[in-house]
């Protein structure tokens, strides 16, 4: 039996510099900048430059046989091209691509991603061209660098920001590594945002909140997402941030009561001969704030319990071991049945897998517990960055479905303002649901989605032929709101002249559905001859239909 107790923080940083646990100590960027300038030309052949050693060490932890020569060449080109440029904070500019690359290396990104990360600002901010990047480092690196390169305001004016995001999203549709680099880039910029004017800090924080954090969630990059949440929270809600951080500091000054529960669980799993690692996983600032709001909603005046500041994380080797741990938990402690969720049998849309449960220990503490394998843990932390093949879209994960839907509706939205507002609306959904069909994989949708939304998400414009739906075996109207875990059977008409009814717009909640329906109605104005109204489905009751599992 191999069970240990130790801290595993949810967030790698605290924007106010407090006592919230971090994964690793921050680098001294001023010192790193001096090292970068002094060591660029001095590294012996075959050895990485001194400034790249942190990146090389983190990279080899995941890829022991990685060829670091390409990284060294990319660093030397970046250092030379950025030489003389300074950040607003006063550090040499090269510290930024170095820091971004280190973030990605610590998440387990492969060599091509790290190479592009070192070069990600060269085409935008220096005389280096995409042609030079392609000739020196190949087509893949060139594609990634191009994907994250901003469009010029001089060419696009006020549309530069939305059109830059559109360009990145289109590139991400073919290679998710583009957005991985962008997320790491935004994380480092947010960490160093204090040198900006307050109004600019707020503007960048709002875009991060509305676009980058939801993108990190959808791609499963939880480590980046949680730190971005704390950094944004500190800027946009400084009073709530300070109050929550004060509670965290007070809690950190006392022994955590969950340590005893963790020790007890170690013993239980040891006796059951289940090899597991039991760790205390402190909540980050925003997570604690959400728990406080939840307590307030339960009539507890927002009072936090001592067990609210952390959860237990149990890591095992095989999926079957997860269920063995769950059995011991529910046998030896009192389970809170309403808190159990199985994201192993039914993974979340963003690759996430774990068992979630809550139990009441002998001291009366309600303890939340996460159980997962080590591989599941890596993916839970790094999402698509942890994929063995970053170009693959895992079947049934929802990531590929969401990217496909996003690309479809962005093509149908040429106006940059409409695209920008539609993107924000699509990302604004606080959670997603998963629905199932007998002959198709699971489908991820925003909470509040209807059968109309599911039809267009599954079939695209072929959903114009939808005439009805069954949810969990019962015939329902197309305006029925779906719930997480529903089984959906969509009925499609055989008649090729089938068309959406105008009232479908009232049912459509997602951009893909609204855009497809609006486009058809625009191309086929109401004065055109239409079939009689068929009620909730907009179809004649006698329409011949064929089934299609949603």
């Amino acid at each position: 039996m191999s069970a240990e107790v130790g801290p595993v923080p949810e967030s790698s940083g605290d924007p106010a510099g407090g006592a919230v646990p971090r994964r690793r100590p921050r680098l001294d960027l001023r010192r790193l900048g001096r090292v970068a300038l002094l060591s660029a030309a001095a590294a012996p052949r075959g050895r990485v430059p001194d400034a790249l050693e942190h990146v090389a060490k983190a990279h080899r932890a995941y890829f022991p046989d990685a060829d670091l020569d390409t990284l060294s060449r990319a660093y030397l080109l970046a250092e030379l091209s950025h030489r003389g440029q300074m950040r607003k904070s006063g550090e040499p500019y090269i510290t930024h691509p170095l820091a971004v690359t280190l973030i990605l290396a610590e998440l387990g990104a492969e060599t091509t991603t790290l190479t592009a990360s070192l070069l990600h600002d060269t085409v935008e901010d220096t005389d280096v061209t995409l042609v030079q990047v392609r000739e020196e480092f190949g087509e893949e690196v060139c594609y990634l660098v191009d994907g994250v390169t901003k469009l010029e305001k001089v060419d696009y004016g006020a549309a530069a920001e939305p059109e830059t995001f559109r360009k990145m999203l289109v590139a991400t549709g073919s290679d998710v590594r583009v957005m991985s680099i962008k997320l790491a880039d935004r994380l480092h910029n947010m960490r160093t945002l204090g040198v900006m004017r307050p109004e600019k800090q707020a503007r960048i924080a709002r875009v991060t909140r509305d676009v980058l954090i939801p993108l990190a969630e959808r791609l499963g990059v939880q480590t980046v997402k949680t730190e971005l949440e704390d950094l944004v929270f500190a800027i946009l809600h400084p009073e709530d941030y300070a109050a929550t951080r004060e509670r965290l500091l007070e809690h950190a000054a006392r022994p955590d009561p969950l340590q005893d529960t963790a020790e007890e669980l170690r013993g239980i799993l040891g006796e059951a001969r289940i090899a597991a690692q039991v760790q205390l996983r402190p909540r980050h600032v925003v997570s604690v704030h959400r728990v406080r709001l939840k307590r307030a909603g339960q009539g507890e005046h927002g009072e936090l319990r001592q067990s609210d500041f952390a959860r237990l994380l149990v890591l095992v080797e095989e999926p079957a071991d997860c269920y063995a741990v769950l059995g011991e938990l529910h046998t030896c402690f009192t389970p809170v049945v309403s808190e159990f969720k199985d994201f192993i049998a039914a993974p979340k849309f963003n690759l996430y897998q774990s068992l979630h449960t809550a139990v009441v220990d002998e001291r009366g503490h309600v303890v939340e517990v996460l159980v997962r394998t080590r591989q599941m843990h890596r993916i839970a932390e790094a999402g698509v960055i942890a994929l063995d093949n970053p170009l693959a879209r895992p079947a049934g994960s929802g990531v590929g479905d969401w990217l496909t839907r996003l690309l479809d509706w962005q093509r149908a939205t040429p106006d940059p303002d409409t695209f920008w507002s539609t993107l924000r609306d699509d990302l604004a959904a606080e959670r997603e649901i998963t629905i199932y069909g007998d002959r198709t994989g699971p489908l991820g949708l925003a909470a509040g989605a209807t059968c109309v939304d599911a039809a267009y998400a599954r079939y695209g414009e072929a959903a114009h032929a939808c005439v009805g739906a069954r949810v969990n075996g019962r015939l329902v109207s197309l305006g029925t709101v779906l719930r997480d875990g529903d089984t959906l059977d969509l009925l499609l008409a055989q008649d090729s002249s089938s068309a959406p009814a105008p009232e479908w717009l009232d049912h459509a909640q997602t951009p893909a559905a609204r855009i497809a329906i609006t486009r058809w109605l625009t191309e086929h104005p109401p004065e055109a001859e239409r079939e009689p109204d068929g009620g909730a489905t907009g179809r004649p009751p006698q329409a011949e239909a064929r089934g299609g599992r949603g």
Side-chain angles (χ1 to χ4, degrees):
M1 180 256 182
S2 172
E4 301 172 10
V5 179
V8 179
E10 279 192 324
S11 176
S12 59
D14 171 20
V20 180
R22 293 174 175 152
R23 296 182 182 281
R24 296 174 178 83
R26 291 281 175 80
L27 293 177
D28 182 339
L29 290 182
R30 291 187 182 277
R31 187 190 68 80
L32 185 59
R34 289 194 297 270
V35 171
L37 292 174
L38 293 173
S39 67
R45 187 174 182 84
R47 178 176 168 229
V48 298
D50 291 346
L52 203 59
E53 285 185 353
H54 291 90
V55 171
K57 182 178 180 181
H59 189 39
R60 284 210 159 139
Y62 291 97
F63 302 93
D65 299 325
D67 178 7
L68 301 181
D69 178 63
T70 300
L71 287 182
S72 297
R73 289 190 293 111
Y75 166 75
L76 292 174
L77 175 59
E79 193 283 321
L80 181 63
S81 60
H82 287 298
R83 187 172 294 176
Q85 296 178 347
M86 307 295 286
R87 305 195 80 214
K88 288 186 180 295
S89 56
E91 290 93 16
Y93 194 89
I94 188 61
T95 59
H96 171 66
L98 271 174
V100 171
T101 305
L102 181 59
I103 290 169
L104 290 165
E106 290 177 340
L107 290 172
E110 40 68 64
T111 307
T112 301
T113 304
L114 301 187
T115 303
S117 175
L118 285 167
L119 299 168
H120 79 272
D121 275 339
T122 54
V123 173
E124 182 178 321
D125 294 332
T126 77
D127 293 333
V128 174
T129 67
L130 284 172
V131 172
Q132 290 173 303
V133 172
R134 182 183 293 109
E135 290 175 349
E136 183 69 22
F137 298 98
E139 189 62 44
E140 277 189 77
V141 171
C142 179
Y143 183 86
L144 299 180
V145 172
D146 184 32
V148 296
T149 298
K150 294 188 183 74
L151 299 172
E152 294 289 344
K153 285 189 177 181
V154 68
D155 297 323
Y156 288 85
E161 185 172 39
E163 288 302 302
T164 293
F165 270 99
R166 186 201 296 267
K167 174 173 173 275
M168 280 190 291
L169 289 169
V170 170
T172 299
S174 299
D175 194 328
V176 294
R177 293 176 293 185
V178 172
M179 192 54 65
S180 300
I181 296 170
K182 178 59 182 177
L183 290 171
D185 172 71
R186 180 54 59 96
L187 176 55
H188 182 247
N189 282 333
M190 287 294 297
R191 285 175 177 175
T192 57
L193 203 60
V195 298
M196 299 287 188
R197 300 188 309 276
E199 59 272 20
K200 188 166 185 179
Q201 290 186 40
R203 185 187 69 79
I204 294 173
R206 282 192 292 269
V207 173
T208 302
R209 176 197 63 195
D210 296 344
V211 180
L212 274 302
I213 288 175
L215 284 170
E217 168 71 17
R218 277 159 174 72
L219 297 179
V221 193
Q222 293 296 318
T223 299
V224 172
K225 179 208 168 194
T226 53
E227 187 174 350
L228 284 176
E229 284 182 327
D230 283 358
L231 292 163
V232 167
F233 190 45
I235 292 170
L236 299 183
H237 304 282
E239 293 182 0
D240 287 337
Y241 176 85
T244 305
R245 182 169 167 269
E246 183 63 29
R247 288 183 170 90
L248 280 164
L249 292 171
E250 291 172 358
H251 174 77
R254 298 189 294 266
D256 195 310
L258 296 190
Q259 289 284 9
D260 293 335
T261 310
E263 291 287 355
E264 188 176 354
L265 182 56
R266 289 180 64 196
I268 290 169
L269 298 180
E271 291 177 6
R273 297 184 180 279
I274 300 173
Q277 186 179 27
V278 181
Q279 302 177 339
L280 212 61
R281 185 173 174 83
R283 293 183 182 273
H284 64 109
V285 180
V286 169
S287 181
V288 172
H289 178 68
R290 288 176 181 147
V291 172
R292 188 182 68 79
L293 294 179
K294 179 181 177 181
R295 295 280 176 261
Q298 295 171 340
E300 300 181 31
H301 307 291
E303 293 299 322
L304 291 164
R305 306 165 187 165
Q306 282 298 302
S307 56
D308 284 338
F309 292 89
R311 295 182 286 184
L312 294 186
L313 172 65
V314 183
L315 298 178
V316 294
E317 294 300 327
E318 302 294 337
D321 297 333
C322 295
Y323 294 97
V325 170
L326 182 69
E328 295 299 323
L329 278 166
H330 286 190
T331 299
C332 300
F333 299 98
T334 303
V336 181
V337 178
S338 62
E339 296 294 321
F340 173 66
K341 294 178 182 177
D342 187 344
F343 293 118
I344 294 178
K348 294 179 73 173
F349 68 96
N350 60 359
L351 312 177
Y352 179 86
Q353 287 185 288
S354 285
L355 296 178
H356 287 209
T357 191
V359 297
V360 181
D361 66 15
E362 293 181 352
R363 291 159 291 281
H365 297 129
V366 178
V367 183
E368 294 185 39
V369 187
L370 311 176
V371 186
R372 60 180 70 139
T373 67
R374 285 173 171 78
Q375 178 61 17
M376 290 175 190
H377 181 61
R378 185 186 169 199
I379 292 176
E381 296 288 280
V384 295
I385 297 175
L387 297 178
D388 292 333
N389 178 7
L391 293 174
R393 293 181 180 179
S397 71
V399 174
D401 286 341
W402 175 74
L403 283 171
T404 299
R405 297 201 304 271
L406 185 149
L407 292 175
D408 286 343
W409 64 253
Q410 74 80 23
R411 291 189 195 101
T413 316
D415 177 65
D417 290 337
T418 303
F419 165 76
W420 193 231
S421 60
T422 304
L423 175 64
R424 289 183 180 223
D425 289 345
D426 184 66
L427 294 172
E430 292 188 0
R431 66 184 185 88
E432 289 221 353
I433 60 172
T434 303
I435 62 169
Y436 301 88
D438 288 349
R439 294 192 295 272
T440 58
L443 179 65
L445 292 167
T450 66
C451 295
V452 167
D453 297 306
Y456 283 95
R458 179 63 78 192
Y459 297 115
E461 292 194 357
H464 291 337
C466 193
V467 296
R470 291 190 182 92
V471 174
N472 302 324
R474 300 182 62 181
L475 192 65
V476 299
S477 73
L478 290 179
T480 299
V481 175
L482 298 166
R483 296 177 298 179
D484 193 37
D486 278 346
T487 298
L488 177 64
D489 182 1
L490 293 166
L491 306 176
L492 304 180
Q494 299 279 9
D495 186 357
S496 60
S497 64
S498 298
E503 59 265 27
W504 285 16
L505 277 177
D506 297 329
H507 305 324
Q509 304 298 314
T510 59
R514 288 198 301 268
I515 290 170
I517 296 167
T518 300
R519 182 165 53 199
W520 193 94
L521 294 174
T522 300
E523 294 172 353
H524 302 78
E527 59 266 25
E529 183 176 346
R530 297 178 59 86
E531 294 179 342
D533 189 354
T537 66
R539 292 283 176 276
Q542 69 271 22
E544 183 181 1
R546 56 187 170 85
R549 299 293 177 179

